[in-house]
Every structure is written in C-alpha cells, then in structure tokens.
C-alpha cells in the first residue's frame, strides 16, 4: 500500500512552507599536530640495529652491528638511507659497543672507555668491562654500565662499585635525576641502585621483562605479554595490560604525555585518554619489528626497526594548510587528461615512478574532485581553483563527445593503441576521433557524480560560459535518459548493467534490496537538478510521475533499517546485490543528496527528503565518515557529527600510498561477529591506522595486504571534497591565525 500522506505532500504548492533554519555548529580551524614519517633504510638487511639517539644539535646517530651510522637524505615520501658514520675519523677505529646521550650530547662506549666528542673531548673515562654494551649517565658524569651480567659504576676512570646479577640478564638501565637512583631492568626484575650507598635492591619481580622507562616516580615495564606500571616510591605494581595493539613489547619510551611502545609488529603510543595511536606498516616504519625508541629533534620520535630508522614527526598544521598540501599533491601527480586519477605501478612507494591509470569511474572520481574545487572557488574566488575547475570540467565534457552515442557519457578515454594495457580492455571502443579510444558500459555511479558536479558548477561558479556548458551537459544527459525510457543506452543499443532507473527494473526488486531505494533517490535528485537549471517542464513532470505513479517517493523514503538480504526466492541478480551492505551505494546516495535536497521541487518535499537523509546518516554514524557527515550538514541540521568530520579530516594521513596495513591482530580493539553491514569492530579505527580508501570503501576494513607501495591515491575525492564542502556550508571556519 502506498504512503498516502507522502502522496499528498507532492501536490502542495511549489513554494511549500518556509523552514526556519537553526544555527549550525562550526569547527574552528585551529592548528593541530599532524604526524608523518621520514624513513631511512639500512642498505644491508643483515645489520642488527640496536639504538638511535638525537643530540642538542638535532643530529641523529644510529648504532648497530656495523658500528655507528648516520641517516642520509630522507624526507617525507622520499626515504633516505643509513650509511657508515665517518664524521669523526679519529674515533672511527674504535670498537664502539654502545651509543647513548648524556646532557643532550652523544656519548659512546667501547671496550676500554666511555667517551664523547662534546665537552671539548674531556670525557674519557676508562672502565673494566670489555664487553659492556649497556650504559646510563648519572650525576656529575657518573655512569652505570653493564655487559649483561655485571654492573659497574664508573666515574673519572674509577670503578666506584661492582656487583653481579645472578641467574638473570641485564636488559636496560635508566637514571632518575630527581632521586639520584639508577634503575636496572633484568628479564625477571627491576632493581634500584643507590649510588650514595652502593646498594642494589630488587624493587619488583616478574618474568619475561623486555623493556622499561621511568618518569616522575612511575615506571612502565614491558613484557612479552603486555606491560604494567609500578609506583617507584611505594613499589606497588599495577595490573598487566594486555588489551593493547601488540603484547610482545620490545621497547618503552615515555615522552611528554605519551608512553611509546615498540613491539614485534609495529609501534604504538598510549595517550592521556587511555587510547592508542598505532604505527604499523611502511606508511610509518621501515620495518615492523621495533628494536628501540627515543626522542628525536623537534619533538619527533625515533623508531628503530630491524630494517632502518623511522622518524615520526609532528607538524603544527591547520586543516587549510593540510588542504593546500593535498591540492599540490593532486596537481603534481594525479591529473590524467584532466581526470582525477590514481598513480599506479609504483616501485615500492616511489612517487616518481608509476603511471597515471584509468579506472572504471574516472567521471565519478573527477566529479568529486571537481565538486571540491567548485566549493573552494565559491569560498575563496581563487584563480587557481577556477583553473582546476575548468580543466576537470573539460575532461568530463569530452566524455560526451569522444563516443558516437548522443547524450551518452563514456566512462573514460585514452590515446589509441593502449587498450590491452588499460583496465577492463574488453570495455574499450575506438572513438570517431582519430587517435582516441573510449570506455563503454557507463554506470549509475558515473551519472549521479556528473549531475552533482554540473549542478554545483551551474549554481556556484560565476563564470557565464562554464555555467552555460554545465547546464547543457545536465540537459544532454537527462534528455538521453528520458528519451530511452529511463535507461542509459550504450553503443550496442542496450542498457548498461547499472544505468537503469526504469520502474520495471527498480520496482522489480524486493523492498529489502538497496537498489530499489537507491535508484529512486538518485533519479529524483537528477530530475530535480535538471529542472532547477533548465526549467524544462518534462523534468519536473517525470519526477512527480515517478514519485506518485510508480512509488519512487515511497521507495526513497523507506527507512534504511529495512534494507537487508533479498528474499530466498529472489533472482540471482537481486541476491547478489543484497549479499551485504554496499558502500558504493552510500557514495551514490550522499553525492545525490545535493540535488535531492538542495533542488527539491518544493519545501514540503525538501522537509521529507531531509528526513530520509538524516535516517541514512543515522545508520552511517559509526563509520565517522567525514564526507557523509558534511553532506548531511547541507540539510541545515544541527546534529551531523561535526566533531567526527573534523576528526576524519585531521586524522587522515598525509601519505596516501597503498602501504600494506594490518590491524586484525590487535588486542585493543573490540571485534564484532559477522553482520550485514560488514562492521568488523565496535569502534572505527582512525584513517591513519587503516588502509587508504575512497568513500565507497568500508571504513571498518582493518587489513590491506594485496600490495605494498604500488599505488598512491589522490586526495582530490578522498579529502578535498569534504573539506571544501564544509568550508562552503560554513561548518568549517577559515584557518585561525597562529599566534
């Protein structure tokens, strides 16, 4: 039975009832800490890397089985290397067995002495432990050293104290400058050495200890099964923490308000709020087996692994500054014939290799980038934004002329002679234009993207020729669809697989199949957009006809909670379409909501469409998807998870390379049983900890292992669209000036 109330709404005055908008919240764009990684790979994979430190001059040194090493020529996205340190030639022949820092200066230890190139070279303190490799400096150039069994307290070439750890192995030493004590970690205990009394005391015992650090009378001890805290004053030991990313701790470093842990599968930082930032894979690290962590220059963190050194840097940045970085990324290496494109075939993350690839949805990805630049221009009136708009628009405009079918947009086009190298070579056809080929089988994803971008351009870009041309394309595409009985007809005279909005097709699905709701929502949005800019009555007439006569209003208003598996007696196509939640459908819905809501035929419909959009948004909220939250804001609602949208924008990594990422092993995330929406965890991971993906991906995807550094995504559709749309809708402010 049709929704009678809904049908009545359709016939109310075109002007409807006025809606009073409440003020929406605004995210104030203040600087935040953006993290990124600079990587330095060891040239020889057989070298064991053991420690890395930085001194007061912002120099970095690494020590390992090959001796001292220096990082060379690394910058973000352009890895450097580790080479032999020959800077101090007079000490290059020494058998250095340990590297540390004391008073922010590098200190070395060989088989004979503790020495430094600082303090005019006056530090040269001989010792009596030829195999000593563990060291910590105390008060007045006093050092506690160990060879793993013995402990010697050394000052000015005198051994002040000796002792031996029985049936255990010394792993690390730290000095507490407040109390003046040394703390010694062994595999089964934490010991305190009081230099004034030369007394060594077992402070706490356990098993499988691996690493530790101290700060303000608190010790953090890592084990093979997690970590625990200990009050260094009361000796009270906390519970073993195992709900952490990886239990096998290999390094601990307290830095500021974070505790950093190294593990056998990445590094992670415990924040003040009790949650973890996880750094895994080559987006962040040269290798996942971490051997040491220390503080680096300019508040960075040095993470040493089995394959090299990674410097995690933190840059103060506003969202606008991040946008400008991404704008440059797109322009530098993601524009193919004006399309917004992937960089594929890269050599292990080298962005100077690879090629600009075609894709199934060049028009969609480009329309989303184009939309972002349209909003950017509407906000800033920048000439660069307008130039980007014109180039992207012309690439899409040509989709309609490169093929011989009137009103039909190609998926993509490329120079002739390369079909065998392109994706889906069977879909490519020769163009009437010499030297060009075009891709057929255009989908509904493309079409809704085109109409979204052309409508936004026609409304918001005050350039007469672009306005006129965009309206012509809207009319051209929609005329084709209406002329062909609500189908998109390909070169072979048949509808494309997905270009179908005809009632026989749409209503042929069960109400539980998402395409029935989706296609109804999209076609109404497209017809409204066409009417808004062409004023041709046919578009308004068809929109009402579909909503009233064929139930498209009821279809598009159907609550999202009713979408699920097709009935068991449904045909294979319907079964396939409803085997799980389709996130490409989400993308099509939200891109279409621009025309569905903004260009609604009357205010009463607009109010109804707002309800439908909010119903969809409500079910999407766990994903914290920045674009969907911002698109929802176009309705004027005060509740659209602005904080989560800003979180998405802040947490997105600057590095958009498809690095292999693994999270499914983590112990700090709560996993869910298999479900229709394919939500794998209770809480979505931050964008910088999960695989890079477009908005049509499942934000709950935890792992990506198909390749490692083979391609780079464009920020054009992933990030710039939601940011600039947020700026245009005035829910994200202009950048606040730094003080």
């Amino acid at each position: 039975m049709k929704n009678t109330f809904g049908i009545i709404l359709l016939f109310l005055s075109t002007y409807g009832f006025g809606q009073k908008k409440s003020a929406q919240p605004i995210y104030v764009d203040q600087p935040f800490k953006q993290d990124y990684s600079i990587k330095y790979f060891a040239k020889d994979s057989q070298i064991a890397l053991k420690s890395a430190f930085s001194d007061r001059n912002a120099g970095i040194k690494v020590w390992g089985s090959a001796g001292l090493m220096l990082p060379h020529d690394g910058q973000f996205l352009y890895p450097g290397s580790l080479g032999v340190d020959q800077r101090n030639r007079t000490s290059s022949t020494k058998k250095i067995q340990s590297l540390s820092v004391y008073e922010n200066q590098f200190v070395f230890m060989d088989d004979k002495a503790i020495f430094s190139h600082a303090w005019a070279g006056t530090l040269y303190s001989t010792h009596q432990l030829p195999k000593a490799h563990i060291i910590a400096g105390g008060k007045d150039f006093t050092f506690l050293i160990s060879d793993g069994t013995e402990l010697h307290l050394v000052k000015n070439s005198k051994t002040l104290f000796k002792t031996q750890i029985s049936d255990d192995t010394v792993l690390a030493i730290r000095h507490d400058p407040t109390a003046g004590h040394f703390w010694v970690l062994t595999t089964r205990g934490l010991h305190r050495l009081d230099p004034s009394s030369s007394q060594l005391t077992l402070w706490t015992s356990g098993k499988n200890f691996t690493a530790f650090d101290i700060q303000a009378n608190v010790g953090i001890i890592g084990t093979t099964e997690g970590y625990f805290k200990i009050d260094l004053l009361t000796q009270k030991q906390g519970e073993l923490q195992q709900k952490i990313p990886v239990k096998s701790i290999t390094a601990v470093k307290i830095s500021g308000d974070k505790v950093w842990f190294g593990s056998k599968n990445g590094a992670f930082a415990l924040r003040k709020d009790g949650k973890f930032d996880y750094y895994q894979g080559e987006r962040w690290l040269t290798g996942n087996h971490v051997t040491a962590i220390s503080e680096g220059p300019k508040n960075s963190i040095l993470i040493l692994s089995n394959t090299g050194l990674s410097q995690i840097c933190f840059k103060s940045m506003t969202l606008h500054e991040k946008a400008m970085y991404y704008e440059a990324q797109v322009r530098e290496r993601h524009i193919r014939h004006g399309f917004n494109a992937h960089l594929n075939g890269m050599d292990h993350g080298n962005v100077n290799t690879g090629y600009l690839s075609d894709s199934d949805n060049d028009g969609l990805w480009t329309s989303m980038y184009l939309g972002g630049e349209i909003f950017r221009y509407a906000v800033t009136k920048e000439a660069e934004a307008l130039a980007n708009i014109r180039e992207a628009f012309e690439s899409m405009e040509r989709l309609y002329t490169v093929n011989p079918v009137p009103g039909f947009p190609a998926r993509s086009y490329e120079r002739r002679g390369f079909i065998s190298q392109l994706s889906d070579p069977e879909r490519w056809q020769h163009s009437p234009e010499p030297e060009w080929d075009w891709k057929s089988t255009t989908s509904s994803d493309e079409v809704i993207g085109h109409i979204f971008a052309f409508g936004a351009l026609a409304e918001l870009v005050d350039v007469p020729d672009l306005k006129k041309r965009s309206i012509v394309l809207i009319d051209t595409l929609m005329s084709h669809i209406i002329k062909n009985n609500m189908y998109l007809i390909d070169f072979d005279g048949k509808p494309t697989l997905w270009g179908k909005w005809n009632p026989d097709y749409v209503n042929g699905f069960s109400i539980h199949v998402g395409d029935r709701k989706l296609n109804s929502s999209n076609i109404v949005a497209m017809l409204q957009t066409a009417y808004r800019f062409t004023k041709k009555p046919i578009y308004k007439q068809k929109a009402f006809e579909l909503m009233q006569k064929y139930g498209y209003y009821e279809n598009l208003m159907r609550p999202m909670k009713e979408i699920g598996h097709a009935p068991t007696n449904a045909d294979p196509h319907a079964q396939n379409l409803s085997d799980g939640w389709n996130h490409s459908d989400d993308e099509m819905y939200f891109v279409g909501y621009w025309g569905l809501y903004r260009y609604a035929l009357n205010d009463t419909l607009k109010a109804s469409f707002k309800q439908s959009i909010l119903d969809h948004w409500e079910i999407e909220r766990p994903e914290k998807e920045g674009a969907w939250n911002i698109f929802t804001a176009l309705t004027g609602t005060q509740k659209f998870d602005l904080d989560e949208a800003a979180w998405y924008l802040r947490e997105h990594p600057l590095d958009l390379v498809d690095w292999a990422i693994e999270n499914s092993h983590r112990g700090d995330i709560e996993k869910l049983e298999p479900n229709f929406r394919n939500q794998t965890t209770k809480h979505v991971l931050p964008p910088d900890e999960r695989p890079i993906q477009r908005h049509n991906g499942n934000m709950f995807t935890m792992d990506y292992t198909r390749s490692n550094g083979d391609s780079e995504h464009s920020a054009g559709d992933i990030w710039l669209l939601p940011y600039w749309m947020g700026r245009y809708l005035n829910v994200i402010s202009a950048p606040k000036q730094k003080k």
Side-chain angles (χ1 to χ4, degrees), residues 78-223:
Y78 295 88
S81 60
L82 294 178
V84 175
D85 180 4
Q86 298 177 327
R87 191 158 292 165
N88 295 98
R89 59 181 181 173
T90 57
S91 60
S92 62
T93 58
K94 294 182 179 294
K95 297 178 181 179
I96 294 176
Q97 298 172 171
S98 180
L99 166 69
S100 64
V101 287
Y102 181 74
E103 294 184 354
N104 290 322
Q105 300 281 12
F106 290 124
V107 171
F108 315 98
M109 180 168 62
D110 65 6
D111 56 342
K112 297 182 178 63
I114 302 161
F115 65 97
S116 176
H117 304 306
W119 306 290
T122 56
L123 174 58
Y124 189 86
S125 183
T126 59
H127 62 78
Q128 299 173 16
L129 273 181
K131 295 183 179 180
H133 58 275
I134 303 169
I135 183 173
K139 186 178 179 181
D140 296 331
F141 292 88
T142 300
F143 295 89
L144 183 62
I145 65 174
S146 176
D147 60 0
T149 301
E150 292 190 51
L151 287 165
H152 287 197
L153 188 63
V154 179
K155 181 177 181 180
N156 295 331
S157 299
K158 295 180 180 179
T159 300
L160 307 178
F161 170 78
K162 292 182 182 182
T163 190
Q164 188 167 343
I165 300 292
S166 301
D167 301 321
D168 207 347
T169 302
V170 175
L171 300 175
I173 304 173
R174 297 286 185 271
H175 180 255
D176 181 353
T178 303
H181 301 136
F182 285 97
W183 294 94
V184 181
L185 184 76
T186 65
T187 59
R188 297 198 299 272
L190 179 66
H191 308 257
R192 190 185 79 173
L193 175 65
D194 184 351
S196 62
S197 63
S198 298
Q199 183 176 2
L200 183 68
T201 306
L202 177 63
W203 214 245
T204 190
S205 60
K207 61 180 181 178
N208 299 322
F209 292 175
T210 56
F212 87 117
D213 201 8
I214 60 169
Q215 185 183 77
N217 297 318
V218 174
I220 306 291
I221 298 179
T223 77

Side-chain angles (χ1 to χ4, degrees), residues 223-242:
T223 77
T224 58
E225 295 298 325
Y227 76 91
F228 63 89
K229 294 182 179 180
I230 179 171
D231 187 315
L232 298 178
L233 294 178
T234 65
Q235 296 180 263
K236 184 177 180 180
Q237 182 176 317
E239 294 183 3
L240 183 66
Q241 302 298 312
Q242 294 187 303

Side-chain angles (χ1 to χ4, degrees), residues 371-413:
E373 294 304 289
I374 290 167
F375 296 131
R376 176 187 175 188
Y377 178 74
V379 170
T380 68
K381 300 300 181 182
E382 292 172 347
E384 180 183 337
L386 183 59
N388 296 343
I389 289 169
R390 188 175 293 278
E391 183 176 26
F393 172 75
E394 289 176 350
S395 72
M396 295 182 65
E397 186 178 45
R398 192 175 178 215
L399 290 169
Y400 292 81
T401 60
V402 75
N403 76 84
V405 185
F408 182 88
R411 282 186 182 270
S412 186
Y413 51 80

Side-chain angles (χ1 to χ4, degrees), residues 363 366-368 370-371 374 389 392-400 407 409 446-461 466-478 529-530 532-533 591 594 599:
T366 304
S367 71
M368 296 176 79
L370 174 57
I374 290 167
I389 289 169
F393 172 75
E394 289 176 350
S395 72
M396 295 182 65
E397 186 178 45
R398 192 175 178 215
L399 290 169
Y400 292 81
E446 299 285 290
V447 173
I448 192 62
H450 286 217
I451 295 298
F452 156 67
F454 298 155
L457 194 157
E459 179 186 1
L460 303 178
V461 178
L466 288 177
K467 278 181 174 286
K468 181 178 179 180
R469 288 158 66 187
S470 63
I471 293 171
V472 167
L473 288 183
I474 293 171
D475 193 27
T476 297
L477 177 54
M478 296 310 298
T529 303
R532 165 68 171 77
F533 294 105
V591 167
W594 180 263
Y599 308 138

